[in-house]
Amino acid sequence: MNKAALILGVAGMATTLGLGTVVGSASPLTGAVQYHKYHGTTTIKQNYRHFKLTSHQPNSNYKIIKVTSWKNAKLKAGSKVKIDLMANQGTQYNWYRIQSTAKHTTHRYWVYGQALSGK
C-alpha cells in the first residue's frame, strides 16, 4: 500500500469514528448547531423525567448552561407548552425551546424532542 493511500485510509477512519473536526460547536457532534423559527404548541410526554430542561441548547457555544428541574419549572406530563425555536445538529431528534402556556410565564427552556408529544 502506498503512503498516500495509507494516509487517506487513516483520515477516513478517523472521520468515521467521529474524530473529524467540529466546526462552530462545543459538542462532540459534527456540524454546527442550526436554529429555526418554529411556532406551535404541544404537550409533555410521560417520559419527560429522562430529559433535562436547560437555559440554552446544550450543544451551543454558551459557556454557562443552567439546568432547571421540571418541578421548579412547574411542568409535568400532559402540560401544554408553546414552542418558538428549534435547534438541530444532525441528530435524529431536535431540541425545542418551550414555554408554559400558563398566564404570566416568562421562562423559556430547551428540551430534547423526545420529551414532547409529536416531536
Side-chain angles (χ1 to χ4, degrees):
M1 183 182 276
N2 67 20
K3 197 174 194 178
L6 181 63
I7 291 171
L8 288 175
V10 171
M13 193 167 72
T15 304
T16 303
L17 294 174
L19 303 174
T21 57
V22 177
V23 179
S25 173
S27 75
L29 297 173
T30 57
V33 176
Q34 297 177 350
Y35 296 92
H36 309 280
K37 289 185 180 184
Y38 189 100
H39 298 286
T41 59
T42 189
T43 57
I44 297 174
K45 288 171 54 173
Q46 294 292 328
N47 67 342
Y48 73 98
R49 288 191 182 117
H50 297 287
F51 306 99
K52 296 178 182 179
L53 289 174
T54 58
S55 59
H56 299 285
Q57 197 268 348
N59 298 328
S60 66
N61 289 327
Y62 287 95
K63 292 182 182 188
I64 299 175
I65 299 176
K66 297 178 183 179
V67 177
T68 303
S69 72
W70 290 91
K71 186 176 181 178
N72 285 344
K74 298 178 183 173
L75 294 171
K76 58 184 179 181
S79 297
K80 283 187 111 178
V81 292
K82 293 186 280 187
I83 301 172
D84 65 347
L85 275 179
M86 177 183 75
N88 60 10
Q89 190 177 5
T91 57
Q92 181 179 1
Y93 296 98
N94 299 318
W95 288 89
Y96 294 91
R97 189 169 74 174
I98 62 171
Q99 180 179 12
S100 175
T101 57
K103 289 185 179 182
H104 308 294
T105 303
T106 58
H107 296 289
R108 293 183 179 145
Y109 308 99
W110 284 95
V111 68
Y112 201 51
Q114 286 184 308
L116 304 175
S117 297
K119 299 292 159 229

